[in-house]
Amino acid sequence: MPLIHRKKPTEKPSSPPSEEVVVPDEDSQKKPHESSKSHHKKSNGGGKWSCIDSCCWFIGCVCVTWWFLLFLYNAMPASFPQYVTERITGPLPDPPGVKLKKEGLKAKHPVVFIPGIVTGGLELWEGKQCADGLFRKRLWGGTFGEVYKRPLCWVEHMSLDNVTGLDPAGIRVRAVSGLVAADYFAPGYFVWAVLIANLAHIGYEEKNMYMAAYDWRLSFQNTEVRDQTLSRMKSNIELMVSTNGGKKAVIVPHSMGVLYFLHFMKWVEAPAPMGGGGGPDWCAKYIKAVMNIGGPFLGVPKAVAGLFSAEAKDVAVARAIAPGFLDTDIFRLQTLQHVMRMTRTWDSTMSMLPKGGDTIWGGLDWSPEKGHTCCGKKQKSNETCGEAGENGVSKTKPVNYGRIISFGKEVAEAAPSEINNIDFRGAVKGQSIPNHTCRDVWTEYHDMGIAGIKAIAEYKVYTADEAIDLLHYVAPKMMARGSAHFSYGIADDLDDPKYQQPKYWSNPLETNSKLTKLFEPFSKRLAQLY
């Protein structure tokens, strides 16, 4: 078979390169900026830079910055903030406890702290299925994490029975014990922590400091019925006095704790079983002094607004920032309805209602503050408060402090003769309320109906006496419990045996004790004047 030999191509001699002729195609004929755009699209996967990309970059930068600052915060020495502050403002002054220690003061009398309303921590001991994993975890005080994780479950466990004022079936929430019960309300928001730290500088510790924690939701007498809190306070004070060389105790109550300790002083000397059986000289034997902090002896008007509509200063601010959010029925939140349902089961809040009625707080046309003008916070030093005109009359409008609740600014400033009140006390409640979507969040407003709400609004102005009647009309079940545990009047005769009942013990105007006798001449004098 013949072999076929292929000839190798002959190599041409090298020659200088000649210019190639390139025929331009359609792509090469594009404009330069279009070509750059095409290249940019290819490098970016063919897409454009969108708002989503910008948001992702922004969120990423925020997260990176946050984690970097968090790392620096945890990595820096604990003394660094103090170092920076001292470099700017100079050396910090010594805390009061350090100053007292330098002066030679030492711990002597045992100290008992009595926290007020909402400042004491509460923890779960028994709960429903929705509260699994929360045994002995704080439901009140601390981080408040469960409020956001399980809001409806938290409301259910923080509420008391609406009839008895005690634990609902299957739920047990109790006060945290020890000094940690009320040292901090939340991280960075101290209550007793600073005072405890300063007393520690002069030698105080847990053997001569005692936090008389209690479940602040309960009525004062129910804290003894359910938890024997009053008996425990009595025993601890006696123990501290006996283990500290017989030195009497100094009591430091705060806010509602002032009323609670006033109740305790009557309880501890009352005979058993109604009282502690300590005898008429128990307080003189074991108590050196009482230092009240912000004691609402005669109540506070804001308690009326809180019980009437779950309103408070913080709630009002939140409603101004986000109108309608707290009242919305979207996702069945109904925040204010849930708050009202919960807080109206807390009997202790009724201890803060104004006491003494119109005799103490004033009427439609007068009040103890009449003629006094409140100055603004930004008043200059050379200005006088409530400057008078040429005729000696104050330029500012008169304020009727005796009108605790007013429906409308015009009514609040109107003369008494211009106010036409239509009595609400005998008004018949009826018809259904307009909003049917919140029927699952039951409040006593549902029993009132439109007719009841209209009767309240038509009365227009409420004084202290009328405010109590208003709450009886709006929330009869709540006030039935409150009236069984607290009183709001003035005693005609303190020697009357009825004033020995526990419901009068926290009212300084209706209880016979050494402390409250100071109020007796004052109240009688007001009754004579007005």
Side-chain angles (χ1 to χ4, degrees), residues 63-73:
C63 292
V64 171
T65 305
W66 168 256
W67 285 110
F68 179 70
L69 294 175
L70 187 64
F71 170 76
L72 291 180
Y73 177 79

Side-chain angles (χ1 to χ4, degrees), residues 302 305-307 309-319 336:
K302 67 179 181 180
L307 292 172
S309 61
E311 285 281 10
K313 180 180 179 181
D314 297 335
V315 175
V317 171
R319 296 181 86 173
L336 279 180

